[in-house]
Amino acid sequence: MEFIPKWIAWEITRRCNLKCVHCRSSSELNVMGHPDFSLEEAKRVLDDISSYASPVMVLSGGEPLLRPDVFEIAQYGTDKGLRMCLATNGTLVNQETCRKIKESGIKMVSLSLDGASAEVHDNFRNMPGAFAATTGAARMFKEHDIKFLVNSSFTKRNQSEIGKLYPFVKGLGATAWYMFMIVPTGRGEDIMDELVSMEDYEGFLEWHYEMEKNESELLVRPTCAPSYYRVVLQKAKEQGDDFKRRTLQFSTGGSKGCLAGQLIVLIDVDGEVLPCSYFPVAAGNIRKQSFKDI
C-alpha cells in the first residue's frame, strides 16, 4: 500500500515561550538535547517531500515564531507548491508577523485557546497575559484577512468552558474550531488525574453532534476522538438526521476514525517521523533515509 501524506505536522523547534500543562513535547524556552535544525536542512526536507507529494505542511513547535527563519522556511515550501500553514500559541504575533505570514504564502494559521476568559486560559498555559495576547492575535488576523482556526484542549480543570468557547471562538471570526480532549503525552502524563472522565467525554461528543448539525458557518471537529464517528452514526440513525459534514480546505483530509500513519504524520525537531503528534514511536529518521522511504 502506497502512503501519500495529506497533512504533515512539522516540529521546526521544541523551544516555546509558554509551559503549558498538557504539552505533548514538554516544550520550554531552553530545551537541552533537541536543537533547531538549520535552514539548509529544512529546505532539504521540503525538497524530499515535494518530490512526490503535495501535503498540507503545518509549521509547528514548540513555538515556531521563535525561529527567525520561520518565514524563509514557509516561503520555500510555498515556492515548492506545498500548502504551508502555521501553528502558534499567538502570544508573539504582531503587525509585522501578519505581514510576513501573507508574504510567505501561509494559507492558514492555528491558534490555541483553552478558555473563554483570562483566568482559565492563562492557568492552562502557565502564563499571565496569554489570553489577551492570543485573542489580540486573532483580531490582527481578521484585520489582515488571514484565515485562522482555533484549537482548544480540555481536561477536568477547564471542561466547563466547552460550551462557552464555542460562541467565543465564533465571535472572534475563526474559520474553524477544533475541540481536543488531551492525549496524555509529554507533560500531559503529569496530569493523568485531570483527564476527562469516560462519561463526560461521551456527553461532550453528543453535545458536539447537536451543535455541529446546526452550525453552518464555523467548521467544527472533535480532534483525536475517533469514537465521534460512532456517535454521529448512532445519533443520525436515532433522530433520522440527514447529517452532512463539511471539510476544511486545509484539514487532514479524512472523515473517519484515527488517521495516524494513514493520512497524517509528524516530523519532530530531531528528524524522527511519527504516525502523529501523540504516538511517540518513530518509523524512521529523515536524516538517515528519505521521507518517501519511511
Side-chain angles (χ1 to χ4, degrees):
M1 179 179 176
E2 188 176 16
F3 168 63
I4 305 294
K6 300 294 184 183
W7 187 92
I8 298 175
W10 189 13
E11 184 186 60
I12 63 172
T13 183
R14 193 160 292 182
R15 294 178 294 125
C16 189
N17 60 318
L18 302 185
K19 198 171 181 180
C20 305
V21 298
H22 65 300
C23 181
R24 60 138 195 107
S25 59
S26 300
S27 293
E28 50 192 318
L29 197 55
N30 297 302
V31 178
M32 302 297 292
H34 303 280
D36 296 354
F37 47 81
S38 68
L39 178 60
E40 289 68 31
E41 182 171 342
K43 290 180 177 179
R44 180 187 62 77
V45 171
L46 292 170
D47 287 341
D48 183 2
I49 293 169
S50 63
S51 68
Y52 84 105
S54 56
V56 172
M57 292 290 299
V58 182
L59 303 180
S60 182
E63 174 47 59
L65 292 179
L66 286 173
R67 279 194 69 135
D69 59 0
V70 58
F71 296 111
E72 292 180 75
I73 296 173
Q75 184 66 66
Y76 192 82
T78 297
D79 293 342
K80 284 286 180 178
L82 299 171
R83 293 166 290 168
M84 305 302 292
C85 300
L86 179 73
T88 174
N89 60 45
T91 60
L92 301 179
V93 172
N94 55 34
Q95 296 291 338
E96 179 70 4
T97 307
C98 293
R99 182 182 66 80
K100 290 181 177 179
I101 286 172
K102 298 204 76 169
E103 287 181 352
S104 62
I106 289 172
K107 304 296 186 185
M108 178 70 71
V109 181
S110 69
L111 292 171
S112 299
L113 196 60
D114 308 308
S117 69
E119 179 183 7
V120 177
H121 179 75
D122 292 0
N123 172 267
F124 209 83
R125 296 283 162 173
N126 275 323
M127 178 182 169
F131 179 81
T134 300
T135 53
R139 295 185 185 98
M140 280 186 274
F141 291 158
K142 287 297 291 182
E143 176 188 338
H144 288 269
D145 196 27
I146 295 170
K147 290 184 177 181
F148 69 96
L149 62 85
V150 172
N151 293 318
S152 299
S153 299
F154 297 101
T155 65
K156 288 178 180 177
R157 78 168 66 185
N158 69 330
Q159 68 180 56
S160 63
E161 294 288 290
I162 291 178
K164 302 173 187 176
L165 264 169
Y166 162 52
F168 186 80
V169 168
K170 191 171 181 178
L172 288 174
T175 297
W177 178 51
Y178 289 174
M179 181 180 84
F180 284 78
M181 300 300 162
I182 73 160
V183 179
T185 55
R187 265 196 299 273
E189 294 180 4
D190 297 332
I191 55 170
M192 294 291 288
D193 59 336
E194 290 191 36
L195 296 183
V196 173
S197 71
M198 182 175 65
E199 293 78 16
D200 285 348
Y201 199 151
E202 184 78 1
F204 291 136
L205 294 182
E206 292 179 358
W207 171 86
H208 194 286
Y209 173 81
E210 297 299 331
M211 176 272 292
E212 183 180 358
K213 74 178 184 180
N214 294 306
E215 176 56 63
S216 60
E217 298 174 1
L218 186 69
L219 289 159
V220 291
R221 286 286 185 277
T223 305
C224 291
S227 55
Y228 182 59
Y229 297 93
R230 168 186 54 78
V231 171
V232 167
L233 291 172
Q234 287 176 336
K235 291 296 179 182
K237 183 177 180 179
E238 288 173 9
Q239 300 176 16
D241 294 332
D242 183 18
F243 184 62
K244 292 183 173 61
R245 310 198 72 206
R246 296 172 299 135
T247 301
L248 180 65
Q249 185 179 1
F250 298 97
S251 72
T252 52
S255 57
K256 56 176 184 176
C258 181
L259 304 173
Q262 300 178 64
L263 298 175
I264 69 173
V265 72
L266 167 75
I267 305 173
D268 76 12
V269 73
D270 301 319
E272 301 284 4
V273 179
L274 301 95
C276 80
S277 302
Y278 305 105
F279 198 124
V281 179
N285 191 294
I286 54 173
R287 293 173 180 169
K288 298 177 181 178
Q289 60 192 125
S290 74
F291 181 83
K292 185 176 181 179
D293 287 344
I294 296 171

